[in-house]
Structures are given as C-alpha cells and as structure tokens.
C-alpha cells in the first residue's frame, strides 16, 4: 500500500518523541522519604557522589521536611567517607549553624574534629589542622561531656596534644642546634607550660634551662669591652 513507504519516517518520529518524554510513563511522586531512602542506599553501596546529588536534591526540593535535616548530614557523611574532608567539615558546620538544638549536634561536632584529624601533617609540617582538631574535640567535650562521642574525643584530643608538643620540641631542637638560643627557649617553654605530662617534661625542661644559660653567656660575652691592642702596636 502507498502509505507503507512512510512507516520508517513514522518510527523515527515516534522514537524521537519518546526520547523527549512524550511517551514516557509518568514518574512516581518523588517524596522526601523516597529521596532520603535512595540517597541512603547509594551511600551504603559506596556511591558517594550519587548520594550527595540525591541528598542535595532533597534539601533543594523539600527544604522544610524532616528528611532535609538528615539529608544535610548525609551529604557531609558522603563527603567524609569519600575523603573529601574540607567539604565535609564545611557541611557539618552548616548543619550545626542551621540546627543548633538538633540531637545530632554532638555527632556533627565530633565529625568536624575527625575531618581535621585526618588532615594532620607530620611534625615537620604545618600543624594548623592538628590545632583545629584539638579545638574541635575540646569544644565537644566542653559542651557535651556526657555524649557517647566524648570518650573517643578525649583520646584523640590527647593524641593531638602529643603531636603539637612534638612539633614544638622539634622546632626547639632545630633552633638549639643552630645556636639560636632565644628562639629555642621560647619553644621549650611552650612545651613545659602548655603540654605537661606528655613525655617531654624532663627533656624540654633541661633544654630550656640550657638555652637560657647559653643565651646569657652569649650576651655577657657580647657586653664585654673589646680588648685593647698592646702598647706600641697598631691595630690593623
């Protein structure tokens, strides 16, 4: 029949329209519960980027829902599990700011500390992240001393203090060996005063006194008047 020659064109149009969604089945209602469930499943399967996208969609489309609050934590947890610690710390901080009375506040505070903890450098590197981890754990312990996260935070806090003490001692030794005794004394004094009972008391105390003694000796020697040349000799 004549119309059969037009069938390929008809099929092309049908497929094109179906691609545009004309012949698609209507989507099921996307509820906050379904989005949160989907994001949680993606997270459990280790599909962290997909989980972040799903949780973000939930917070964007249903910002006032109960699930949106939990989705914010889901985003932070997904970043954390994917080792995106700076991003995770930022989202945890946003959660705390937006939900200051939420029951998950201790968890978010603990996780911020963990974000910084995982970024701590060795003692020969900058210790900014170590200091931030210390401050985060201290804030958690101070505000929620009975939280289930506080005992763990106390152990990690001790570890951060140990790292900071090692750093101060390390730098102090560098100054001491290069005969910069004033700078060395300053570092050893920090170890003695701010980080007691961490295994550095004797060494730091001894080197502090030694630095002060050598510094005083150098200053005394410097204050002495220059020696005069013997009579009859001209100084060059």
């Amino acid at each position: 029949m004549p119309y059969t020659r037009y069938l390929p064109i008809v099929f092309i149009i049908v497929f094109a329209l179906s691609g545009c969604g004309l012949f698609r089945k209507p989507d099921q209602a996307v509820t906050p519960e379904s989005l949160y469930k989907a994001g949680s499943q993606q997270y459990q399967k280790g599909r962290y980027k997909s989980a972040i996208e799903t949780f973000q969609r939930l917070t964007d489309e249903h910002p006032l829902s109960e699930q949106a609050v939990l989705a914010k934590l889901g985003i932070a947890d997904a970043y954390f599990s994917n080792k995106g610690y700076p991003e995770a710390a930022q989202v945890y901080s946003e959660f705390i700011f937006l939900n200051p009375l939420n029951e998950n506040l201790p968890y978010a505070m603990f996780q911020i500390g963990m974000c910084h903890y995982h970024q701590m450098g060795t003692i020969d590197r900058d210790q900014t992240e170590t200091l931030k981890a210390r401050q985060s754990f201290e804030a958690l312990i101070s505000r929620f001393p009975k939280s289930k996260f506080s005992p763990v935070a106390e152990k990690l806090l001790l570890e951060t203090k140990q790292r900071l003490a090692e750093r101060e001692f390390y730098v102090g030794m560098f100054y001491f060996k290069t005969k910069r005794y004033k700078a060395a004394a300053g570092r050893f004094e920090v170890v003695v005063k701010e980080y007691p009972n961490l295994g550095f008391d004797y060494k730091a105390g001894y080197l502090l006194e030694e630095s002060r003694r050598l510094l005083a000796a150098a200053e005394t020697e410097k204050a002495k008047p220059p020696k005069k040349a013997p009579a009859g000799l001209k100084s060059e």
Side-chain angles (χ1 to χ4, degrees), residues 99-116:
N99 307 279
L101 301 178
N102 190 276
E103 62 182 357
N104 292 304
L105 211 61
Y107 170 73
M109 294 178 70
F110 176 77
Q111 286 295 96
I112 290 175
M114 291 303 299
C115 288
H116 296 303

Side-chain angles (χ1 to χ4, degrees), residues 5 17 51 55 100 126 146 152 160 169-170 185 199 214:
R5 61 180 180 176
L17 291 174
F55 286 136
D126 179 74
K146 296 183 179 180
V152 182
T160 61
F169 189 84
Y170 172 83
L214 292 170

Side-chain angles (χ1 to χ4, degrees), residues 216-236:
E219 290 178 347
T220 300
E221 185 66 25
K222 186 178 179 181
K224 288 181 179 180
K227 294 181 179 180
K228 294 182 179 180
L233 294 179
K234 295 182 179 179
S235 57
E236 297 181 356

Side-chain angles (χ1 to χ4, degrees), residues 40-51 81-82:
S40 298
Q41 290 175 343
Q42 290 165 342
Y43 177 85
Q44 293 298 328
K45 294 178 181 179
R47 297 168 57 193
Y48 301 123
K49 292 183 179 179
S50 297
S81 296
N82 203 33

Side-chain angles (χ1 to χ4, degrees), residues 3-19 23:
Y3 67 85
T4 56
R5 61 180 180 176
Y6 297 109
L7 285 178
I9 298 176
V10 173
F11 287 138
I12 292 173
I13 294 174
V14 168
F15 286 127
L17 291 174
S18 64
F23 288 85

Side-chain angles (χ1 to χ4, degrees), residues 47-60:
R47 297 168 57 193
Y48 301 123
K49 292 183 179 179
S50 297
I52 291 170
E53 292 174 356
T54 302
F55 286 136
Q56 187 62 56
R57 179 183 174 186
L58 170 53
T59 60
D60 291 342

